Amino acid sequence: MDLKLEVVVLPVSDVDRAKAFYVRAGFRPDVDYAAGDDYRVVHLTPPGSQCSILFGTGVTTAVPGSTRGLHLVVQDIEAAHAELVDRGIEMGGIFHDAGGVFHRGTEEGRVDGAHPERASYSFFATFSDPDGNEWVVQEVTTRLPGR
C-alpha cells in the first residue's frame, strides 16, 4: 500500500498576504477558489515537490502561525538559501546540530555553518511565513538506506 503525503494545511490569518509570500518564495499557484466570503482555498506547490500546501478561509481551526518544522529538502543548501534571500525571504543562517544528523527543532545544540563533514541530512536553515509558520530547509544529497 502506498501512502502519499500530498497536501499540508497551513493556518494563516491573511490569505492574500500568505499567497503573495509563497509565490515570492517560488511556490507554484495551483488553485485559488472562493465560494462566498466564508470559504476560500489556496493551493500551492513548492518547486520540485509532490506535496503541496493549502490554506484559506474556513479550511482549518488551527491557530495561524502554529505549524512548525515543515521540511523542504534541497541538494545544495547554500544555493537554496541564496535564492530564497534573493526572492526576498528572510532566512536564518545555515546551521548544523552539535550532536548528529538531525536538529532538535529548538535553538539547543545549533552550531553556525554547514556540518564539518558535509554529511547528508546534517544541515539546515529556517524561515517563517508572515504568520510565523516555520519551515526548515534541509540538505539531503544521499538518501539513507530504505529512504
Side-chain angles (χ1 to χ4, degrees):
M1 170 177 57
D2 287 343
L3 297 172
K4 297 179 181 180
L5 180 62
E6 298 216 1
V7 176
V8 174
V9 178
L10 293 178
V12 302
S13 62
D14 183 320
V15 177
D16 290 321
R17 179 181 70 176
K19 181 179 179 183
F21 174 85
Y22 285 107
V23 167
R24 187 170 68 248
F27 288 43
R28 179 188 71 232
D30 298 317
V31 174
D32 188 338
Y33 171 80
D37 293 335
D38 297 337
Y39 187 73
R40 179 178 173 194
V41 175
V42 175
H43 183 271
L44 300 107
T45 304
S49 181
Q50 296 294 314
C51 185
S52 300
I53 61 170
L54 181 146
F55 53 82
T57 305
V59 298
T60 183
T61 58
V63 176
S66 61
T67 301
R68 299 280 178 271
L70 295 171
H71 281 59
L72 295 169
V73 173
V74 298
Q75 285 282 314
D76 182 333
I77 199 158
E78 283 95 356
H81 188 279
E83 182 174 334
L84 287 164
V85 168
D86 286 348
R87 290 174 167 275
I89 305 303
E90 187 176 321
M91 298 289 299
I94 295 170
F95 66 93
H96 66 280
D97 189 89
V101 278
F102 208 67
H103 70 97
R104 297 173 173 105
T106 67
E107 299 291 321
E108 181 184 350
R110 284 190 183 185
V111 179
D112 290 341
H115 189 276
E117 297 170 15
R118 197 147 183 115
S120 193
Y121 291 90
S122 295
F123 47 106
F124 315 89
T126 61
F127 69 91
S128 296
D129 73 11
D131 283 295
N133 293 304
E134 179 195 72
W135 291 86
V136 178
V137 180
Q138 178 182 27
E139 184 176 288
V140 176
T141 55
T142 303
R143 294 281 176 180
L144 295 174
R147 306 271 189 259

